Structure formats: C-alpha cells, structure tokens
Amino acid sequence: MIQSLTLRRPDDMHLHLRDGAMLSAVAPETARDFARAIIMPNLVPPVVTAAQAAAYRNRILAALPGGSDFQPLMTLYLTEETAPADVAAAAASGLVQAVKLYPAGATTNSHSGVTHIDRVMPVLETMAEIGLPLCCHGEVTTAEVDIFDREAVFIDTVLDPLRRRLPGLRVVMEHITTEEGVAYAATGGADLAATITTHHLIINRNHILVGGIRPHYYCLPVAKREKHRLALRRAATSGNPAYFLGTDSAPHVDALKEHACGCAGCFTATNTMPLLAHVFEQEGALPQLEAFTSLHGARFYRLPLNSGTITLEKTAAPVDFPEKIQTGQGPVTLFNPGFPVHWRVAG
Ligand code: NCD
Ligand code: ZN
C-alpha cells in the first residue's frame, strides 16, 4: 500500500478567492498547497477590464502570507460590452490566461453575463485567433430546462454549435458534472478540456437532499445522480489530458448558505489535496493524481510545469480538519466529505 506520495506542486484551474476580508482569509488556504490558480472574475462588480484584473491581482498578492510564491492567473468576465482589443491586449501582456463565459443568470454574480452567444462573437473570434481559452460555465438558463439537464442541454445547444462555428476556439468546460460532459470533453483534442471539482468526485444529489437539506453541499452545477459521479471519477483518474483539477472552491459565509435562499458553492480549498488522495486511492489510481492536479492543466494553458513538490502522507488516525474557517465577514464551513480522511499534506 502506498503510504506517501510526492507530486509536482499542483495548480487549481478554477478558484473563487472573492475580495476584501474574505480574500484575506481564503487566499492562504489555497496558497498553502497550490503553486498557481486560475482566478474566477465573478466579483461584485465583475472583473471585466484588463485594468480591473491587474488591480485584483495586486489585491490577491497582498493577501498572501509573507514568503508565498503563489501565482494568481487572471481571467476576464465576458460581457456583451467586452472589447476584443482589450482582451487581446490583456492576453498579449501576459496578465490574463482566459476569459470566462457565464450565461446570464446561471450562477453567483452572473447577471452581467451573456444572454446570447451571437452578441460576443467578435470577442470569441479574436480569442480563437490568439489562442486564448474560453472558460465556460456550461449550463443553459432557460426556465423550462430542468436544472439536472442544464449541462447536457448546454453542450448540445450552445457549446457544440459554437465549436463548429469557430473551430479554432480553445475551450475549458468548467466543473463538469455529467457523463455527457465527460464524453464531450474527450472529443476536442488539444483545444478542448474540462475541469473537475473535488466535491463532484465525492457527492451525488442524494448527499444534498436525503435526510434533510444540506446547504453546504449545494453548488452549481448541482451534483447529479450516482452514475455521473462515477463517470467523473473514471475521467479524473484516467490519465486522459482532457481532464484536470479545478476545485471551484467557492466560499460563502454560513449566514448566506444556511438561508431560505442559500448561495451555491462548496469551500474545498483547505482539504482538497487530502480528499483527492483519498478518492484516487479508492480508485486504485494514486499514480495518476499528479497528472490530474499538476500536469494536464498546465499543459492545456501552455504554462511551464511547476518546479517544487508537495508530499502527501497516509496517517494512522483520521485527520482533524477544521469544521469552519473564520473570516472578517463571518465563518465559512469547510466541505465535509462525510468520511474519515487519512491523508495529509506533509510539506
Ligand atoms: C460559484 C460562486 O459562488 O461564485 N458557485 C458555485 O456553486 N460553483 C460560481 C460558479 O462557479 O458557478
Ligand atoms: Zn466557479
């Protein structure tokens, strides 16, 4: 049995760090284990321009513990007013690694997002020319489409037609949750990939709804049936470069999660690497963990691989993760997998 595993330092290719007091509390949680992260732009107001991304990057760097070499990789929030020239300049300067598409109304702070893909085609054409990836929140928002079908319908009615119309566009399907997402992500060669979160490898929709409603398991896209969780596990552990880690760690204070209209998001920054070691061990795939967390994402984004390492160690006693972390805005509950975890990051 493997007792210790040394990996190239991992990257989190989908992360919400928020701003202000929340940023100060959560940035160190990611910087402890990860070398880099793709930072989501859904602040209030959203990070729309290169100037806003540069200012946000400076606030993130200021929130890191002294001596940290964590690198935030910035994204722009795509709106119907986004100027192709601003995107091209932000990419050319090296500031921005991707642009994020939120269908308007799909998730937290997405009201400035896109109502119809036709309205952003000039930006997408520029991105295809320069090879800048589009990160897609892949859910339709049509009221008639059932929430459990929204990812599959997005692939058929938005993503596949877009990729046929603009074959040069590089796309990351963010936080896939279905076997349809797993299958589609494998069809696009080097220009198509998908991130998979930690929590979607662990929970299915029963965890949210059976025996009482569990607001800390509610996120978007919402966890689906068990067969989809199993498809995600097969994908993450497959060694296929189309899949890599994007935790979608999305902190919200408890007061807004435990609410009549609770916010979507699971906070997994603190315990992601131990949880992934647990999952990959269960799947008999610990040797594939490094590819998922540290190689495939960097290669897709055409970034150098990280140089340092982290070591995961098997522990005799279950690891005592904190139930909550304290922030200047209130407590945030850490994702609880519901089983004992016997892995820790040793250094
Ligand atoms: C994210 C958030 O809170 O910003 N929430 C979530 O449930 N994943 C937004 C997102 O990625 O959809
Ligand atoms: Zn997200």
Side-chain angles (χ1 to χ4, degrees):
M1 232 195 342
I2 299 177
Q3 295 292 329
S4 155
L5 190 67
T6 296
L7 313 175
R8 206 176 269 278
R9 276 174 83 199
D11 296 316
D12 181 352
M13 295 310 194
H14 182 131
L15 177 66
H16 298 271
L17 284 180
R18 315 304 191 200
D19 214 341
M22 181 67 87
L23 167 63
S24 309
V26 300
E29 297 299 300
T30 289
R32 192 179 300 130
D33 295 342
F34 289 88
R36 300 176 291 205
I38 294 274
I39 308 299
M40 289 297 127
N42 61 334
L43 303 183
V44 187
V47 179
V48 172
T49 65
Q52 287 170 321
Y56 184 33
R57 182 170 181 278
N58 287 336
R59 297 198 296 280
I60 295 168
L61 293 174
L64 295 173
S68 173
D69 62 354
F70 176 80
Q71 283 180 49
L73 306 172
M74 306 311 291
T75 61
L76 296 179
Y77 184 119
L78 183 59
T79 73
E80 292 173 4
E81 281 74 51
T82 298
D86 191 50
V87 170
S93 74
L95 170 68
V96 154
Q97 307 296 327
V99 170
K100 178 74 187 273
L101 166 70
Y102 289 102
T107 188
T108 309
N109 304 334
S110 62
H111 34 267
S112 314
V114 173
T115 60
H116 197 285
I117 210 82
D118 287 350
R119 303 200 173 170
V120 292
M121 280 312 284
V123 180
L124 300 183
E125 282 159 11
T126 297
M127 290 170 59
E129 273 163 37
I130 64 178
L132 186 69
L134 179 71
C135 297
C136 288
H137 183 110
E139 289 188 288
V140 294
T141 54
T142 330
E144 306 78 69
V145 179
D146 189 274
I147 191 161
F148 292 99
D149 299 334
R150 288 178 173 201
E151 180 171 299
V153 173
F154 181 87
I155 293 167
D156 289 346
T157 64
V158 182
L159 183 56
D160 190 57
L162 171 63
R163 292 187 56 254
R164 287 172 194 279
R165 190 168 164 188
L166 202 52
L169 187 65
R170 311 194 69 230
V171 171
V172 185
M173 301 166 65
E174 296 297 337
H175 41 48
I176 53 169
T177 57
T178 59
E179 58 186 13
E180 290 86 350
V182 166
Y184 190 78
T187 63
D191 288 335
L192 182 64
T195 56
I196 300 177
T197 75
T198 310
H199 51 281
H200 288 116
L201 296 171
I202 295 174
I203 61 168
N204 64 31
R205 64 196 200 180
N206 279 15
H207 293 88
I208 310 171
L209 295 169
V210 171
I213 190 157
R214 315 281 169 154
H216 296 290
Y217 288 153
Y218 173 62
C219 67
L220 288 170
V222 69
K224 310 295 192 296
R225 292 177 177 274
E226 178 65 358
K227 68 170 181 175
H228 298 291
R229 185 185 74 101
L230 296 178
L232 294 169
R233 283 190 164 222
R234 284 193 297 274
T237 57
S238 65
N240 184 330
Y243 311 107
F244 48 84
L245 176 64
T247 65
D248 194 22
S249 180
H252 293 277
V253 292
D254 285 353
L256 296 177
K257 290 288 295 174
E258 299 165 9
H259 190 276
C261 183
C263 292
C266 295
F267 176 64
T268 53
T270 308
N271 54 357
T272 274
M273 291 307 297
L275 292 177
L276 290 175
H278 180 103
V279 167
F280 276 64
E281 182 182 44
Q282 276 185 329
E283 297 292 322
L286 274 173
Q288 304 295 347
L289 181 59
E290 181 181 51
F292 181 65
T293 60
S294 318
L295 307 180
H296 295 167
R299 288 188 185 132
F300 180 86
Y301 278 104
R302 301 174 176 164
L303 297 166
L305 299 180
N306 296 317
S307 51
T309 59
I310 64 166
T311 297
L312 288 152
E313 245 174 39
K314 194 88 194 261
T315 61
V319 179
D320 226 358
F321 293 106
E323 189 194 340
K324 299 173 190 297
I325 67 156
Q326 301 304 325
T327 82
Q329 291 171 6
V332 170
T333 294
L334 181 63
F335 177 77
N336 177 350
F339 50 72
V341 178
H342 289 265
W343 286 94
R344 69 180 191 104
V345 179

